[in-house]
Amino acid sequence: NGRTNVRVQITDPEGRAAGLGARVALSSTLGTLTPATVTLDGQGTAIAQFTAGSEPGSAHITATSGVLSATVPLTITSGVPVTLTLDAAPTPVITNGTATITATVRDEGGNPVMSSLPVSFTATLGTLDPVSVMTSAGQAATVFTAGMTSGVALIEAQAAGFTTTLPLPVIGPGEPFAITLTADPAATSVNGAPVRITAQVVDAFGDPVSDGIPLQFVTDLGELSAPTALTDDGEAEVTLTPGTQAGDAHISAQAGNVQGSLTVPILAGP
């Protein structure tokens, strides 16, 4: 039952306005067009209004003037909720920090549903305010405030009979919040010198993390000296040994829910 405008235009082969004053008949396989016949103005254009009916599907709107004819498809959705998703920003969140939680409700065509649909929220490891929100353009937002306990908060939303849950990491002081990888040297060659990979790990306040935190290292090219290394003064190191294949080695290091990545070129020549 929604509405949209349909613009009709006739142009010549050079793209200039043509058909001034021509009458164009409009028809559609679904819904209705008002008016059903339009007259082109001085720019060779005319506007009609399309009104969808109660049936979802693909409407094919056809404009005809003499031997000229053109058809455009238009998708009609029901507006009935079929999906409920959750997003958080920022993520992760620090202890006592806040994040905006947004629930989005969409119909089968991926369009935001009607406004004023109630969405209720619950959370662990923190509080939400407000806990019930009406959608506007298919979205409802609330604010999560983390407590003093780190871990993974579970944010749950319920709307129109649907329930979805979002895991949100809560990071405390001394715990990994960001990982930055560096390589020395920045590049190597096939069967060339090994590369020292250093991971600098800081907490949410920018301070080095505690000693002894394990980092998992992975590469898709070459060989690492170890799959795991422990932090010492906020750093962990491994060595990349290039093999016989040239290309870009994509290296990642992960601690908990935090990951850093780096690309090291392995050149074909010495």
Side-chain angles (χ1 to χ4, degrees), residues 172-176 201-203 207-215 230-235:
E175 298 179 355
V201 191
V202 297
D203 65 12
D207 299 320
V209 297
S210 308
D211 291 345
I213 294 178
L215 268 71
L230 303 179
T231 55
D232 181 10
D233 196 23
E235 294 186 347

Side-chain angles (χ1 to χ4, degrees), residues 77-266:
T77 57
S78 65
V80 175
V82 296
T83 63
L84 172 64
T85 58
L86 276 176
D87 294 290
T91 179
V93 63
I94 62 175
T95 51
N96 288 326
T98 61
T100 299
I101 309 298
T102 303
T104 303
V105 188
R106 299 183 184 275
D107 63 17
E108 78 281 359
N111 303 300
V113 300
M114 58 187 175
S115 298
S116 301
L117 181 71
V119 180
S120 60
F121 296 92
T122 60
T124 62
L125 300 185
T127 60
L128 291 162
D129 185 29
V131 295
S132 182
V133 186
M134 294 291 187
T135 57
S136 175
Q139 291 190 324
T142 185
V143 175
F144 171 77
T145 301
M148 289 293 295
T149 304
S150 61
V152 178
L154 298 178
I155 315 296
E156 183 179 276
Q158 294 184 341
F162 297 94
T163 301
T164 190
T165 302
L166 174 72
L168 176 61
V170 179
I171 308 297
E175 298 179 355
F177 184 80
I179 300 175
T180 302
L181 296 183
T182 57
D184 184 23
T188 187
S189 58
V190 170
N191 293 322
V195 178
R196 183 175 62 190
I197 306 299
T198 302
Q200 296 177 318
V201 191
V202 297
D203 65 12
F205 305 96
D207 299 320
V209 297
S210 308
D211 291 345
I213 294 178
L215 268 71
Q216 313 298 321
F217 288 86
V218 176
T219 183
D220 61 358
L221 192 61
E223 184 176 348
L224 295 172
S225 57
T228 304
L230 303 179
T231 55
D232 181 10
D233 196 23
E235 294 186 347
E237 292 185 356
V238 294
T239 300
L240 172 71
T241 300
T244 59
Q245 183 179 348
D248 287 336
H250 300 95
I251 303 163
S252 65
Q254 183 165 345
N257 296 294
V258 183
Q259 186 179 84
S261 60
L262 174 72
T263 298
V264 176
I266 300 177

